[in-house]
Amino acid sequence: MAKAKVLVTGIIPEQGLTGLQNTFNVTYSPDKPFSREWVLEHLHEYDGLLLMGLKADKELIDAGTNLKIITANGVGFDHIDIDYAQERGIVVANAPQGVRIPTAEMTIALMLATVRHLHEYDKIVRSGNWVDVSEPKYMGMSLGGKTLGVFGMGRIGSTVGEFAQVLGMKVIYNDVHQLDADLEKKLNVKYVDFNTLVKESDVITLHAPSLPSTEGKFNSDVFKQMKDTAYIINAARGSLIKQNDLIDALKNDIIAGAGLDVYETEPNVPESLRELDNVIMSPHAGTGTLGARIAIAEEASGNLISLLKDGKAKNMVNKVTKYMD
């Protein structure tokens, strides 16, 4: 029986594809990712797609006439039209485990860098200048005893909550569904409504998916309800924050600062945001370690192997009936 064919797009560490390459006929370009035009022309030859760096919209899905599965190389799948894939009987899967620890690490890194003004300090010292941090305007905020508000208490949000408690923070959260009491007790977190989260938090960190209900959730009205000493951290999805509203809030000291790994307009970050000293930014690098990228690729590969070899869907995010229990 001929081996299934799998196409891998994007730049992915080859160490994470070993299992896939040992199981199927894999097409992969480690040095130069395939263009969208190339993928549209050749996708009909493949049974599975490990997707990174491209959008799986209706046009691309239609090009995959033999596709049985599309797996995202990461937890997010808003770049895949999951409903249309479902209509076509194509499983869409993601890789939620491999991103958990590295994204939580990045969140904590952004939070510490933001509240301790590392961007501003670095800029001052690099310019050959010095400041007296006894002056209140140069002082940062200690996190011990402060309240962290987690918007989206899933795998990553709960891990951030655990890390934050090591720093002495109290953790409250808001999500569509409240955790059961035993899990709340284990995580030492408290559920609050959205308005309470916004008003009581000293730092708010975002860990929700991009959905119609969450897009633009953090806007000018919300920023005005936050403490003027509070910070916001986003290592989830850029669309959760109204970027222009955030810029206005930062410029006018409505909130104290922001730490951003994602942007509403990425990869284009406006100059009006880049020129601010009370924001620290990274280029969507939450999983930007070799170990993390290998683990994510292995998890995504496992989705393909499970479905194309064993006929069992893993980490399925749409509802293809024949693969549902």
Side-chain angles (χ1 to χ4, degrees):
M1 182 171 147
K3 289 184 178 180
K5 295 185 68 177
V6 170
L7 176 63
V8 178
T9 67
I11 300 174
I12 296 172
E14 198 156 11
Q15 302 98 307
L17 301 174
T18 302
L20 198 66
Q21 291 170 327
N22 289 340
T23 310
F24 305 125
N25 288 323
V26 178
T27 302
Y28 169 59
S29 176
D31 300 317
K32 184 179 180 182
F34 298 112
S35 67
R36 179 178 174 88
E37 290 71 27
W38 189 95
V39 172
L40 289 172
E41 183 179 350
H42 295 274
L43 192 57
H44 67 277
E45 303 170 17
Y46 295 92
D47 304 286
L49 176 63
L50 199 166
L51 184 71
M52 184 177 180
L54 293 175
K55 188 173 183 179
D57 53 14
K58 186 176 184 293
E59 180 186 35
L60 190 138
I61 291 170
D62 279 339
T65 52
N66 290 309
L67 275 184
K68 300 169 183 65
I69 176 173
I70 301 170
T71 181
N73 192 61
V75 65
F77 49 85
D78 49 318
H79 58 306
I80 303 172
D81 189 333
I82 63 172
D83 294 331
Y84 187 64
Q86 184 172 312
E87 285 181 30
R88 289 278 313 280
I90 299 170
V91 168
V92 176
N94 69 341
Q97 293 294 344
V99 306
R100 182 175 65 89
I101 295 295
T103 305
E105 289 175 343
M106 176 60 86
T107 299
I108 296 295
L110 286 170
M111 179 165 64
L112 285 167
T114 303
V115 304
R116 295 303 301 269
H117 297 188
L118 289 193
H119 167 69
E120 187 176 9
Y121 291 168
D122 181 80
K123 184 178 176 181
I124 290 168
V125 176
R126 284 181 186 275
S127 69
N129 295 311
W130 200 258
V131 294
D132 182 354
V133 294
S134 298
E135 293 185 50
K137 68 178 180 178
Y138 292 121
M139 289 182 181
M141 181 177 76
S142 295
L143 292 176
K146 296 298 192 294
T147 298
L148 176 68
V150 180
F151 180 68
M153 186 58 84
R155 294 179 181 90
I156 297 171
S158 60
T159 303
V160 169
E162 291 180 55
F163 289 173
Q165 288 177 64
V166 175
L167 299 171
M169 300 189 79
K170 169 189 171 183
V171 180
I172 60 177
Y173 78 96
N174 177 261
D175 206 327
V176 176
H177 303 291
Q178 183 175 354
L179 303 178
D180 66 58
D182 288 342
L183 185 53
E184 281 191 343
K185 185 176 180 180
K186 179 182 176 182
L187 295 174
N188 193 27
V189 298
K190 179 184 177 183
Y191 176 83
V192 295
D193 61 45
F194 181 73
N195 287 336
T196 300
L197 182 96
V198 169
K199 292 175 181 178
E200 292 190 0
S201 298
D202 297 294
V203 181
I204 297 176
T205 180
L206 311 186
H207 300 288
S210 179
L211 301 168
S213 59
T214 61
E215 289 178 0
K217 185 78 172 179
F218 289 82
N219 53 39
S220 59
D221 290 338
V222 170
F223 297 136
K224 288 172 186 175
Q225 294 179 60
M226 290 171 62
K227 299 177 182 179
D228 60 9
T229 55
Y231 297 81
I232 190 164
I233 310 297
N234 190 8
R237 285 290 179 263
S239 62
L240 302 182
I241 294 178
K242 284 284 189 183
Q243 191 164 267
N244 287 335
D245 290 359
L246 175 62
I247 292 168
D248 181 69
L250 293 170
K251 279 184 174 179
N252 294 292
D253 298 321
I254 294 170
I255 63 173
L260 306 174
D261 186 47
V262 292
Y263 311 85
E264 189 176 27
T265 55
E266 68 179 66
N268 300 309
V269 180
E271 184 179 359
S272 55
L273 182 59
R274 289 186 277 116
E275 67 186 8
L276 297 174
D277 285 330
N278 57 347
V279 58
I280 191 163
M281 297 173 282
S282 56
H284 205 146
T287 60
T289 71
L290 180 59
R293 292 297 174 91
I294 290 172
I296 294 165
E298 289 175 339
E299 188 176 4
S301 295
N303 295 337
L304 290 155
I305 293 168
S306 181
L307 189 103
L308 296 177
K309 184 181 177 186
D310 303 324
K312 297 178 181 178
K314 288 175 62 176
N315 297 317
M316 182 166 61
V317 296
N318 59 352
K319 298 177 181 179
V320 180
T321 307
K322 62 182 176 181
Y323 295 112
M324 295 176 65
D325 293 332

